[in-house]
Amino acid sequence: MMHSKLLASSDLGKFLAGLPPLSLGSGPVVAGGAARRAWCNQHWMAADVDVFFRDEQQRRRWQAQFEKIIGVRDRPSLDDFENMFTSKESSGYLSISTPNADTYHVPYLGHVIKVQLINTRFSNSVSELWNDFDFDVSCFATDGHTVVASPEALESLTTRKLTPRNSTVKKNLTLRVLKYQIYGFEASDELLLEAADLLVNGEFDWQTNY
């Protein structure tokens, strides 16, 4: 059973309202860390805003609308980077493009928000999307109006335990475990040993961008 609550009046809701439409029913959705922080009424601007899609066609349509809204341009030079924080005419830019995601930097209220358009894990529902997440604590999603969470995600918030899901993606497990330990979640001895083995054997990806 999925739990839900209205997104409190927050900068995240206002930020998402300025983007192309999101939908918990038909996609796209923002899922993961930013949605979790919204549920907890925590500061979200340092989190990646990860946007997930139903299929490639939906992603392409949404990306075209998104780039038009943010006035996407080339990566800024060091000379004009500061203007992103002050100029009303400032625009976003594509920071990096990988087979997994296109990552944009979008100026907002004196900050630069990292928005990642995910090019994998296409899903017909939020529950289907969560099935491929690595940890229960990641199973949050929002459309900018409502935040939903899995029962396991809420349990992880209460126990502060980092519980793995069924994801077969292991190359970034080491970094993800360290990341969530910094956030105050406790990994089991078995999970720590698995992450350490991947590190020792060189079977890891240390990319901070998805």
Side-chain angles (χ1 to χ4, degrees):
M1 187 178 76
M2 192 179 297
H3 298 268
S4 66
K5 69 178 183 179
L6 292 178
L7 182 64
S9 178
S10 69
D11 287 334
L12 178 59
K14 295 174 184 177
F15 177 75
L16 296 180
L19 303 185
L22 302 168
S23 171
L24 289 171
S26 59
V29 297
V30 169
R36 183 187 73 251
R37 294 186 187 204
W39 180 283
C40 299
N41 295 318
Q42 295 175 339
H43 183 70
W44 62 274
M45 291 186 184
D48 298 345
V49 177
D50 293 335
V51 187
F52 295 85
F53 302 88
R54 184 178 64 245
D55 51 37
E56 177 64 24
Q57 184 179 15
Q58 183 183 74
R59 184 188 186 280
R60 290 183 181 275
R61 287 198 306 266
W62 199 91
Q63 184 174 28
Q65 295 173 338
F66 172 72
E67 290 191 347
K68 184 176 181 180
I69 287 172
I70 68 172
V72 68
R73 58 181 171 80
D74 293 335
R75 182 192 294 258
S77 67
L78 292 176
D79 292 335
D80 62 17
F81 183 80
E82 184 177 351
N83 294 332
M84 295 175 65
F85 297 98
T86 57
S87 173
K88 293 182 179 179
E89 301 300 324
S90 62
S91 57
Y93 67 94
L94 178 62
S95 171
I96 185 172
S97 182
T98 73
N100 292 320
D102 289 330
T103 300
Y104 295 82
H105 286 185
V106 182
Y108 181 69
L109 298 181
H111 299 267
V112 176
I113 310 302
K114 187 164 74 171
V115 180
Q116 296 195 126
L117 277 56
I118 309 301
N119 197 33
T120 60
R121 299 177 181 175
F122 296 127
S123 306
N124 291 317
S125 68
V126 170
S127 296
E128 182 181 324
L129 171 65
W130 287 340
N131 283 340
D132 197 38
F133 277 14
D134 52 4
F135 301 125
D136 286 333
V137 74
S138 299
C139 295
F140 291 84
T142 183
D143 60 359
H145 305 285
T146 302
V147 190
V148 294
S150 72
E152 295 83 4
L154 297 184
E155 182 177 356
S156 289
L157 284 184
T158 300
T159 64
R160 308 304 291 180
K161 300 291 186 182
L162 191 59
T163 51
R165 293 181 64 80
N166 298 321
S167 175
T168 58
V169 179
K170 298 295 184 180
K171 63 181 181 180
N172 61 349
L173 177 65
T174 304
L175 179 61
R176 296 276 291 170
V177 169
L178 291 175
K179 176 180 177 180
Y180 275 100
Q181 286 203 295
I182 291 172
Y183 292 163
F185 292 91
E186 181 182 350
S188 67
D189 291 344
E190 293 79 9
L191 186 57
L192 288 173
L193 285 173
E194 183 179 4
D197 284 342
L198 291 171
L199 183 62
V200 169
N201 295 326
E203 299 173 4
F204 65 91
D205 187 346
W206 213 254
Q207 296 291 327
T208 55
N209 289 304
Y210 180 75

